Amino acid sequence: QVQLVESGGGLVQPGGSLRLACAASGSIFSIGAMGWYRQAPGKQRELVALITSGYTTNYADSVKARCTISRNNSKNTVYLYINSLKPEDTAVYSCYALVRRTSEDNGIDYWGQGTQVTVSS
């Protein structure tokens, strides 16, 4: 079993910043890409940011100038830092990881339970 546990969500004022963390645990041989997706009410889930095991990053255009994704491979943890938050950033943010549980495993997608981020005054 593999679990992804997020932390760091909450209520933030417009213009503020937030740091999310997601730790993977369980039967893990290696982790490939890790990232963050978000889903706002009435909208489809969208990619926020992705980081490969080699630290290559990819960002959604809507957050590119305000966002940094990073990871600590020794801790199986991925982080997301967003500044200059806007009300439209309000969403449930979910962590993602492509996990190999054995050396023969091609990798399976795992998701965290999601953490609510609300940007409001």
Side-chain angles (χ1 to χ4, degrees):
Q1 291 286 350
V2 174
Q3 289 185 324
L4 303 184
V5 179
E6 299 116 334
S7 61
L11 175 65
V12 185
Q13 291 190 342
S17 61
L18 196 67
R19 184 174 183 258
L20 304 177
C22 172
S25 63
S27 180
I28 298 171
F29 174 74
S30 68
I31 301 178
M34 300 184 82
W36 293 90
Y37 287 74
R38 68 185 181 185
Q39 186 167 20
K43 294 188 177 181
Q44 290 189 331
R45 183 171 62 189
E46 63 174 359
L47 171 69
V48 179
L50 206 64
I51 184 168
T52 68
S53 57
Y55 302 100
T56 298
T57 58
N58 184 36
Y59 296 94
D61 288 341
S62 59
V63 300
K64 202 168 191 175
R66 306 181 287 123
C67 186
T68 301
I69 188 170
S70 61
R71 64 190 285 172
N72 183 327
N73 287 337
S74 66
K75 294 183 179 180
N76 291 333
T77 300
V78 62
Y79 306 93
L80 184 72
Y81 175 78
I82 309 178
N83 59 30
S84 302
L85 282 160
K86 308 173 183 178
E88 50 263 43
D89 292 317
T90 296
V92 174
Y93 285 69
S94 297
C95 172
Y96 159 81
L98 179 63
V99 178
R100 296 174 67 198
R101 292 185 294 174
T102 71
S103 59
E104 299 175 346
D105 191 338
N106 287 329
I108 300 173
D109 296 336
Y110 285 91
W111 296 88
Q113 79 284 359
T115 184
Q116 178 69 47
V117 172
T118 302
V119 184
S120 175
S121 55

